[in-house]
């Protein structure tokens, strides 16, 4: 190590660690897909908590903090966004109806999420979205069509886990409705 007073980075140890790679995206919040590495049996690697510099395929992708006290049986590391995976979310249809007899109105929304894989190999991607939540018993949120997604009824979270072949596009559509009395303000912006 040079003694010139300049901070130096030194590689202490290099290991090949088997990992499961998948992409994760939440297009409602961010249009980018992030490559994640999930490492099993990480306890055997003798790692310590601290600052982490992440390199993927010899390219620096960012810094993070390794907090092993928060890790479960699988250690998950983000390898950053991949511009070759394009994710878009757009409102396909919306309808607002009022029922004169019941005094309620119904708001319907249908969304489409598109995933383009511009890579030369298939990818596995997990997409997250969410249904609106209500803490008012007079407001009812109903999932009309989840497009194959799994719904957590407590949080409203919808998750899709699927593969996209090279140079292909996959579309997901989901639809929900909200019923509420006319005088209750409802805000469905995204």
């Amino acid at each position: 190590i040079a003694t010139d007073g300049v901070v130096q980075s030194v590689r202490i140890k290099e290991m090949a660690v088997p990992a499961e790679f998948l992409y994760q995206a939440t297009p409602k919040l961010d249009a980018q897909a992030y490559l994640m590495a999930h490492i099993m049996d990480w306890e055997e690697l003798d790692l310590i908590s601290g600052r982490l510099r992440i390199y993927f395929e010899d390219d620096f992708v960012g810094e993070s903090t390794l907090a092993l006290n928060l890790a479960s049986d699988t250690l998950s590391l983000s390898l950053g966004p991949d511009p070759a995976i394009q994710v878009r979310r757009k409102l396909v249809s919306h309808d607002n109806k009022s029922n004169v007899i019941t005094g309620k109105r119904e708001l319907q929304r249908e969304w489409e999420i598109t995933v383009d894989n511009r890579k030369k190999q298939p990818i596995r991607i997990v997409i997250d979205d969410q249904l609106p939540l209500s803490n008012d018993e007079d407001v009812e949120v109903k999932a009309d069509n989840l497009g194959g997604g799994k719904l957590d009824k407590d949080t409203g979270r919808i998750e899709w886990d699927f593969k996209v072949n090279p140079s292909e596009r996959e579309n997901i559509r989901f639809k929900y409705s909200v019923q509420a009395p006319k005088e209750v303000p409802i805000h469905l912006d995204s």
Side-chain angles (χ1 to χ4, degrees), residues 3-189:
T3 59
D4 56 5
V6 177
V7 176
Q8 303 287 326
S9 293
V10 178
R11 186 173 295 183
I12 297 171
K13 185 176 183 181
E14 186 173 321
M15 301 180 248
V17 178
E20 176 187 19
F21 294 95
L22 66 90
Y23 288 88
Q24 289 185 299
T26 308
K28 181 177 182 178
L29 303 175
D30 186 353
Q32 298 185 84
Y34 292 84
L35 180 59
M36 301 293 294
H38 296 286
I39 303 168
M40 308 289 281
D41 301 324
W42 62 269
E43 298 93 347
E44 299 171 11
L45 300 175
D46 292 328
L47 300 174
I48 58 173
S49 295
R51 285 187 46 212
L52 184 65
R53 293 172 140 288
I54 301 172
Y55 292 84
F56 182 64
E57 295 177 344
D58 292 329
D59 290 329
F60 176 72
V61 294
E63 289 187 7
S64 184
T65 302
L66 187 60
L68 298 177
N69 56 335
L70 302 176
S72 62
D73 60 341
T74 302
L75 181 62
S76 297
L77 299 173
S78 173
L79 302 178
D82 188 337
I85 309 300
Q86 299 290 315
V87 182
R88 288 178 303 284
R89 178 184 191 258
K90 73 175 184 176
L91 184 63
V92 176
S93 69
H94 67 282
D95 192 17
N96 299 332
K97 303 178 205 173
S98 292
N99 188 325
V100 178
I101 297 169
T102 63
K104 290 194 169 192
R105 63 189 165 138
E106 181 177 22
L107 297 91
Q108 293 181 337
R109 301 291 185 267
E110 184 174 9
W111 293 92
E112 181 178 63
I113 298 172
T114 304
V115 179
D116 286 314
N117 179 5
R118 297 180 178 162
K119 298 181 91 53
K120 295 190 185 314
Q121 66 267 9
I123 63 160
R124 179 177 162 216
I125 188 164
V126 174
I127 303 283
D128 285 314
D129 212 298
Q130 185 177 18
L131 294 182
L133 295 175
S134 171
N135 54 4
D136 186 337
E137 62 188 33
D138 293 332
V139 177
E140 179 187 351
V141 178
K142 186 175 115 189
D144 298 327
N145 178 8
L146 295 178
K150 295 178 187 170
L151 174 64
D152 181 334
K153 292 185 181 192
D154 295 330
T155 62
R157 179 177 181 245
I158 312 168
E159 178 181 279
W160 295 270
D161 186 342
F162 57 97
K163 291 190 187 308
V164 182
N165 289 324
S167 303
E168 287 193 5
R169 172 181 289 172
E170 291 290 331
N171 295 314
I172 300 167
R173 281 191 178 218
F174 69 102
K175 183 177 183 179
Y176 60 86
S177 58
V178 178
Q179 290 186 344
K182 289 181 184 178
E183 66 275 1
V184 175
I186 302 293
H187 181 64
L188 298 176
D189 60 341

